Amino acid sequence: MTKINAYDFALLALDSGIQIIPLNENKRPLVSFGNVEITPIFIETYKTYYDNATMIAVLCRGVWCIDIDVNHGDEANGFASLESIPFYNELDKNANETMIQQTASGGMHIIFKKREGIDYSQKINYLPGVDIKANDNNYFVYAGSVTTKGVYTRNELPPKLYEGDFEKGIFSKRGNYYKQMEDNETQKVNEILKDYDFSHLPQLNGQGGRGKQAYQRIIDGVWESRNNDLFMAVSYAKVKNISIEP
């Protein structure tokens, strides 16, 4: 296997604002880099480590990465996960216009430039088989790196700014995609119900089943989970022929 010339490449990459670190065969950094700028002096200081590296990585400084994996430990397929969400067509269009890497294990890195006004962060398992690497101290293996499974390759496009809603959604809230969607739905229900007057609804005596309990909580304004309680309360009212309209 041909060893990458990490030293020369790291120096050259600085001209494009890309900061490169050397890795060992297990994708572990050979140098300490946390919150340290990679400069020509840094690279020269650790020249021996760069010279001995068979793999290199790009730090997520100025760029962020959608890391798609297949057949990982949990056998999740990141491509299938992305295809299942409503942002897929938007993502696919952006991916065709930016830097893409093929990983040695059959996965993919989709790399975009960072934009002002977004609080970028790492999100492991954002979707099954999909990690988001965006913290300044995150990194992804770069093209030309050699592993026992093969060589990382890339297209010839530079990273571009993402255009659309998916990027904003990723970094707008904590949690993975499903948690964010749940929070969004809860927020919508909260907005709908915040000024709704439930005082006209009849009080129910006795604990009853889950639907009856949810109905009572809606009346009392003591939600456990507004989405779930509203659904169960409406279902209960329909079965019991109780109007929920004022």
Side-chain angles (χ1 to χ4, degrees):
M1 294 186 291
T2 304
K3 185 170 70 172
I4 191 170
N5 189 338
Y7 173 77
D8 288 342
F9 186 80
L11 288 172
L12 182 63
L14 288 178
D15 293 337
S16 300
I18 299 298
Q19 299 183 37
I20 299 287
I21 59 171
L23 305 178
N24 64 20
E25 63 276 9
N26 296 316
K27 305 181 185 179
R28 300 295 184 185
L30 294 172
V31 296
S32 297
F33 63 89
N35 301 319
V36 177
E37 183 180 359
I38 308 303
T39 64
I41 294 177
F42 180 96
I43 295 170
E44 186 64 36
T45 300
Y46 296 102
K47 183 178 187 300
T48 300
Y49 294 96
Y50 281 91
D51 285 340
N52 292 329
T54 59
M55 305 179 71
I56 58 175
V58 174
L59 296 182
C60 293
R61 298 171 181 177
V63 295
W64 64 283
C65 172
I66 300 176
D67 186 353
I68 308 169
D69 210 344
V70 291
N71 299 324
H72 202 258
D74 56 5
E75 298 185 354
N77 185 322
F79 294 104
S81 295
L82 288 169
E83 289 174 4
S84 71
I85 65 174
F87 298 102
Y88 176 73
N89 289 337
E90 175 188 291
L91 173 61
D92 186 55
K93 181 179 184 301
N94 278 272
N96 287 325
E97 299 172 353
T98 195
M99 177 179 164
I100 286 182
Q101 294 192 153
Q102 303 293 334
T103 73
S105 58
M108 179 181 290
H109 295 158
I110 309 176
I111 299 120
F112 298 100
K113 287 178 62 177
K114 290 181 177 178
R115 65 170 72 242
E116 296 294 328
I118 292 182
D119 186 15
Y120 291 94
S121 60
Q122 174 179 261
K123 290 182 180 285
I124 299 300
N125 202 31
Y126 183 67
L127 285 160
V130 178
D131 293 336
I132 304 298
K133 297 181 177 178
N135 181 279
D136 282 353
N137 290 322
N138 290 157
Y139 63 86
F140 56 89
V141 178
Y142 190 65
S145 295
V146 180
T147 74
T148 56
K149 296 181 179 180
V151 181
Y152 283 67
T153 61
R154 59 158 290 187
N155 62 9
E156 297 302 319
L157 296 176
K160 68 175 283 283
L161 291 172
Y162 189 96
E163 300 295 340
D165 295 326
F166 187 46
E167 177 188 36
K168 300 172 188 174
I170 293 172
F171 302 109
S172 64
K173 295 178 180 175
R174 294 183 179 181
N176 63 20
Y177 175 81
Y178 302 112
K179 180 63 167 63
Q180 290 176 340
M181 292 302 101
E182 179 183 337
D183 288 347
N184 287 342
E185 289 303 312
T186 299
Q187 183 176 350
K188 290 178 183 178
V189 172
N190 289 345
E191 287 298 315
I192 292 172
L193 298 182
K194 67 178 181 179
D195 297 320
Y196 197 87
D197 181 11
F198 293 99
S199 61
H200 65 284
L201 298 178
Q203 297 288 325
L204 303 177
N205 297 320
Q207 185 176 21
R210 294 180 63 196
K212 185 176 181 180
Q213 293 173 38
Y215 181 93
Q216 191 64 54
R217 287 194 295 270
I218 291 292
I219 297 172
D220 296 338
V222 287
W223 333 98
E224 287 187 355
S225 170
R226 289 197 177 187
N227 277 350
N228 292 337
D229 276 0
L230 182 61
F231 176 79
M232 288 191 293
V234 171
S235 299
Y236 173 82
K238 184 175 181 180
V239 171
K240 297 297 184 179
N241 197 27
I242 302 172
S243 173
I244 62 170
E245 296 296 331

